[in-house]
Amino acid sequence: MRARKVGYNSRMTIEIVVVGARGHTGSELLPLLHRHPAARLVAVGSSSAAGEPLSSLVPGLEGCHLRFADIRPENLQQYPADLYVLALPNGQAAAYVAAIEENHAAAVVIDLSADYRFDASWVYGQPERFADRITGAKRISNPGCYATGAQLALAPVLDWLLATPVVFGVSGYSGAGKTPSRRNDPAVLRDNLLPYSLAGHIHEREITRHLDYEVRLLPHVVSFFRGISLTMAAELNHSVDAARLLELYREFYAAHSLISVCENIPEVADVRGKHGVIIGGFTVSGSGAQHASWVCVLDNLLKGAATQVVQNMNLAFALPALTGLETGQGSLEGEAL
């Protein structure tokens, strides 16, 4: 039956169409939706894999009998659903959104690209910060992976910042997608660290917009497959010690079970294949102990993408935000180069 915005205890089924599902994020998202107790995949689009069984190409879809379909804006009327998830490259969402609005206007749309992250008519889908806006929303823009970690890492101290904080980010090469480039080329990445977009990166602009505070982001890619480590460096407007920062962050995220706060420096290996974020390693230095550094780690394919889609879907349909995320981890495996 078609979904209704009622409580989780009702027998609701959210019928879902996913478009652009053959990327790394799609391979994480599809199993989560397949296992979700209130969701049902009704169509999955991929022009390159059209006709192939989903279960033959994506791990974790045992019992799913769907085949990939060639879903285009011009034939979208053939695929009615309660929710459309767009996992397309940047710049390609608009035609699908227009087709959805023409043919299935009542449906919810969650877009994973950057196309609507700066559009005030769309809700920015960062659940720990904007759950009240996401609940019942029809158009939701999923945040970027670097932007997710940086916002969560900086939000508790926004009122304490004295100057522009700097975020040094390191991502696994899955963040560069499947299209061949230097950022996912084994020959380039082996025993190497590749800086890129050191000014004006789209996630830098996204972080700045949604924190309403200027932030510098310095992104890099390395030879492991998945995960992001972000190191914050900030000047604060008053003196603190590491214990006070630890206390502040634990209080700020006490109600959010996907956000863990720890005393030690967290590592990418701690979150790889998991839904959560870890923030820790609080360190202060400088005159008057006003200079602080700390670290945030997350899985770019899960909390940086697929996990947040599920959280946003749950909120849009008035389900508990972590429905379908209580158990199970990511499906993709990646080897360091």
Side-chain angles (χ1 to χ4, degrees), residues 28 151 280 284 294 335-336:
E28 290 294 346
Q151 288 176 77
V284 296
W294 62 101
E335 296 292 334

Side-chain angles (χ1 to χ4, degrees), residues 139-157:
R139 301 290 181 264
I140 302 168
S141 180
N142 222 57
C145 51
Y146 278 119
T148 293
Q151 288 176 77
L152 292 172
L154 289 169
V157 292

Side-chain angles (χ1 to χ4, degrees), residues 94-337:
Y96 286 90
V97 172
I100 293 165
E101 291 180 344
E102 179 180 355
N103 297 286
H104 314 289
V108 174
V109 181
I110 299 176
D111 178 42
L112 279 91
S113 77
D115 293 5
Y116 296 99
R117 293 175 190 160
F118 303 90
D119 188 330
S121 67
W122 284 59
V123 173
Y124 186 68
Q126 215 298 293
E128 284 77 16
R129 300 183 60 227
F130 304 120
D132 57 336
R133 304 178 195 176
I134 301 166
T135 300
K138 292 287 191 179
R139 301 290 181 264
I140 302 168
S141 180
N142 222 57
C145 51
Y146 278 119
T148 293
Q151 288 176 77
L152 292 172
L154 289 169
V157 292
L158 279 181
D159 292 339
W160 291 7
L161 294 175
L162 182 62
T164 300
V166 175
V167 181
F168 181 89
V170 177
S171 173
Y173 65 89
S174 61
K178 288 186 173 181
T179 301
S181 73
R182 282 177 53 81
R183 293 185 300 213
N184 56 21
D185 184 340
V188 173
L189 294 175
R190 189 180 302 276
D191 299 326
N192 199 7
L193 175 79
L194 187 65
Y196 65 96
S197 298
L198 296 183
H201 189 283
I202 192 167
H203 287 186
E204 179 180 275
R205 291 187 279 122
E206 179 183 346
I207 298 161
T208 295
R209 177 183 175 91
H210 294 288
L211 285 179
D212 195 24
Y213 198 99
E214 184 179 14
V215 174
R216 288 293 316 280
L217 173 68
L218 306 176
H220 299 68
V221 64
V222 292
S223 59
F224 57 75
F225 179 68
R226 64 190 300 162
I228 289 178
S229 179
L230 299 161
T231 299
M232 266 47 63
E235 185 177 1
L236 306 180
N237 58 21
H238 63 282
S239 298
V240 295
D241 58 21
R244 178 67 186 102
L245 285 172
L246 180 65
E247 177 187 29
L248 171 70
Y249 275 72
R250 284 179 169 165
E251 291 174 353
F252 195 91
Y253 288 119
H256 301 284
S257 60
L258 289 188
I259 314 299
S260 300
V261 179
C262 64
E263 184 174 355
N264 297 328
I265 298 174
E267 300 178 358
V268 167
D270 300 330
V271 291
R272 188 175 291 126
K274 298 178 182 178
H275 294 302
V277 171
I278 305 176
I279 303 171
F282 299 100
T283 304
V284 296
S285 61
S287 176
Q290 290 181 248
H291 296 92
S293 298
W294 62 101
V295 175
C296 173
V297 294
L298 68 157
D299 189 311
N300 57 303
L301 301 178
L302 288 173
K303 183 56 177 167
T307 297
Q308 244 162 191
V309 170
V310 175
Q311 289 179 275
N312 287 327
M313 175 187 75
N314 289 334
L315 291 170
F317 289 93
L319 298 174
L322 300 187
T323 303
L325 298 173
E326 296 90 344
T327 59
Q329 297 182 352
S331 60
L332 274 177
E333 296 294 335
E335 296 292 334
L337 296 174

